[in-house]
Amino acid sequence: MELSKTGEAAPPKQRHAPLALLIVAMLLIGPLLVTIGSVLVAGNNHLLATGTRVAGTVIDVHDGPESSDRRFGAEYFAADSSRHVIWADWVSHAKPKLRDTVTVVYRQDDPGSAVIAGYGTPGEFVQGLGIVLTVIVGGTGVVMLVSGRRGNRKRSRERL
């Protein structure tokens, strides 16, 4: 047991370093995910603006209980007659049905690189996850910092 300068038992040292490191890491990961997601979204927007448009056919629809489980696959044929399948997310008001026709936009020099016009992309998910991490972890970190400072002030007043 440690003794203070007055000879009394010193309060135990708090070990918040691992938690603080975790919060700092999450605060760095959140903005990194936002940046990566933004780059992916910008690339998809560029592809939507400049890519080759073809009709695709919905061949599979996954309707899970969570929004992250709502995905569908569409088949399309590129100009060179090669067959490709792309997956996209759908929101509750835009659920596709089997054999629906969708607009697929692909890169002419890489027909496997494509997006489905009007539906979600992985970049949007990554960007959203980064925003959620930043807000939740940042908010938690601020609350912990404020409450920790208040607790330190209160303990220092009690010692006097």
Side-chain angles (χ1 to χ4, degrees), residues 41-99:
V41 167
N44 289 336
N45 289 340
H46 178 71
L47 181 57
L48 284 168
T50 62
T52 302
R53 294 178 180 273
V54 295
T57 304
V58 176
I59 58 170
D60 197 2
V61 178
H62 294 268
D63 188 3
E66 298 179 17
S67 61
S68 61
D69 297 334
R70 295 178 180 159
R71 297 185 51 78
F72 72 98
E75 161 186 76
Y76 66 98
F77 293 89
D80 63 1
S81 299
S82 59
R83 178 187 178 272
H84 301 275
V85 175
I86 182 171
W87 289 87
D89 300 328
W90 56 272
V91 293
S92 58
H93 66 276
K95 180 181 178 181
K97 295 180 183 130
L98 285 176
R99 293 183 290 286

Side-chain angles (χ1 to χ4, degrees), residues 6-142:
T6 61
E8 298 173 3
K13 291 184 180 178
Q14 296 179 357
R15 295 201 165 103
H16 294 297
L19 182 60
L21 287 175
L22 178 64
I23 289 172
V24 168
M26 296 298 273
L27 283 172
L28 294 175
I29 290 171
L32 180 65
L33 289 175
V34 171
T35 303
I36 291 169
S38 297
V39 169
L40 291 172
V41 167
N44 289 336
N45 289 340
H46 178 71
L47 181 57
L48 284 168
T50 62
T52 302
R53 294 178 180 273
V54 295
T57 304
V58 176
I59 58 170
D60 197 2
V61 178
H62 294 268
D63 188 3
E66 298 179 17
S67 61
S68 61
D69 297 334
R70 295 178 180 159
R71 297 185 51 78
F72 72 98
E75 161 186 76
Y76 66 98
F77 293 89
D80 63 1
S81 299
S82 59
R83 178 187 178 272
H84 301 275
V85 175
I86 182 171
W87 289 87
D89 300 328
W90 56 272
V91 293
S92 58
H93 66 276
K95 180 181 178 181
K97 295 180 183 130
L98 285 176
R99 293 183 290 286
D100 275 356
T101 300
V102 293
T103 302
V104 177
V105 184
Y106 70 91
R107 189 168 283 117
Q108 187 70 34
D109 59 342
D110 180 15
S113 179
V115 295
I116 300 176
Y119 290 94
T121 63
E124 292 169 352
F125 174 77
V126 172
Q127 188 178 38
L129 181 62
I131 290 169
V132 168
L133 279 176
T134 302
V135 169
I136 290 175
V137 174
T140 302
V142 168

